[in-house]
Amino acid sequence: DYLSKPFEHEELLRRIKNALERNRLKREHRRAEKALRESEERYRRITEAVTDYIFTVRIQSGRAVGTIHSPTCVSVTGYSPDEYASDPGLWILMVHAEDRDIVWGQARRVIAGQEAPPIEHRIFRKDGVMRWVRNTLVPHYDAQGKLLAYDGLIRDIDERKKAEEAKAKLEARLSQVDKMEAIGTLAGGIAHDFNNLLMAMQGAISLMLTKIDSLHPHYRYLKGLEKQVQS
């Protein structure tokens, strides 16, 4: 950064403060990126060692007639396969209310034989804790192309989502600091140009005052204007 002379003491302090804040946010941003990479690596190691939560939905006449959940559903959701079996609506009730439409939509698409890309949504575990998961559906057809069932793979992505959210917040804060710095630079430039204009006016007034005496009818007006320019 730089300052054009002449500059005000407050302007120098403001520039230094903004530069320090910008550097601090950049350091936090680098730490957030490092944390995100470490979280992704940790997540990769975990998913390589632990079986994902898998469920299978049987289809008859274009309708879901039964669902089987793998035992590892407990590690992700806190609910056991028996609890899912005793409450057929549990799978959608545990989904965050704002995300239920996209979960329903994914299921409807795969049953209708349409492409159903993976989705990311929130669930509430049995203990009430909210978690982000990735939901991938894989349809199974018979030889005639009739849908018999589809498998679902639920993967816990909560740590990655939180790291991404933290990174996004830091980037937004850094952007705000840069905007404020740009506004400050513009204001400083305007003030500098205005000071130059005032200095030119002061020179012209001083020159005019040397050409007239205190009895001149315009003398007091020029002196008043000179005082205002100097202040």
Side-chain angles (χ1 to χ4, degrees), residues 56-206:
T56 300
V57 179
R58 293 185 296 107
I59 304 296
Q60 287 183 3
S61 302
R63 299 184 55 146
V65 294
T67 305
I68 300 174
H69 295 259
S70 69
T72 50
C73 64
V74 177
S75 63
V76 178
T77 70
Y79 294 103
S80 68
D82 290 341
E83 288 175 298
Y84 281 107
S86 63
D87 186 356
L90 179 57
W91 69 277
I92 192 66
L93 291 176
M94 71 178 185
V95 175
H96 193 292
E98 295 178 359
D99 297 341
R100 288 176 187 171
D101 284 346
I102 63 172
V103 175
W104 272 116
Q106 184 193 41
R108 290 192 186 101
R109 284 192 295 274
V110 74
I111 292 175
Q114 302 172 359
E115 183 179 0
I119 60 174
E120 295 180 355
H121 62 86
R122 294 159 292 179
I123 65 168
F124 287 101
R125 288 172 44 89
K126 186 177 181 179
D127 56 11
V129 175
M130 189 185 75
R131 307 287 291 184
W132 277 95
V133 297
R134 180 178 174 86
N135 190 345
T136 304
L137 302 184
V138 180
H140 296 281
Y141 302 96
D142 62 14
Q144 288 72 42
K146 180 182 177 181
L147 181 67
L148 300 176
Y150 65 84
D151 293 328
L153 175 64
I154 300 294
R155 176 169 295 177
D156 189 326
I157 59 170
D158 198 67
E159 288 192 14
R160 175 175 66 81
K161 293 293 288 188
K162 288 179 178 177
E164 290 175 349
E165 290 173 0
K167 179 182 176 183
K169 288 180 180 178
L170 279 174
E171 289 176 343
R173 289 173 59 192
L174 182 60
S175 176
Q176 183 65 22
V177 170
D178 288 340
K179 289 179 182 178
M180 294 303 295
E181 177 64 13
I183 293 173
T185 300
L186 177 60
I190 294 173
H192 181 262
D193 292 342
F194 190 68
N195 284 335
N196 289 340
L197 179 60
L198 290 177
M199 291 176 65
M201 291 175 61
Q202 181 178 347
I205 293 170
S206 298

Side-chain angles (χ1 to χ4, degrees), residues 39-52 159:
S39 175
E40 290 175 341
E41 176 61 20
R42 179 168 175 253
Y43 173 74
R44 183 188 63 79
R45 293 196 303 268
I46 291 174
T47 54
E48 288 176 350
V50 179
T51 302
D52 290 316
E159 288 192 14

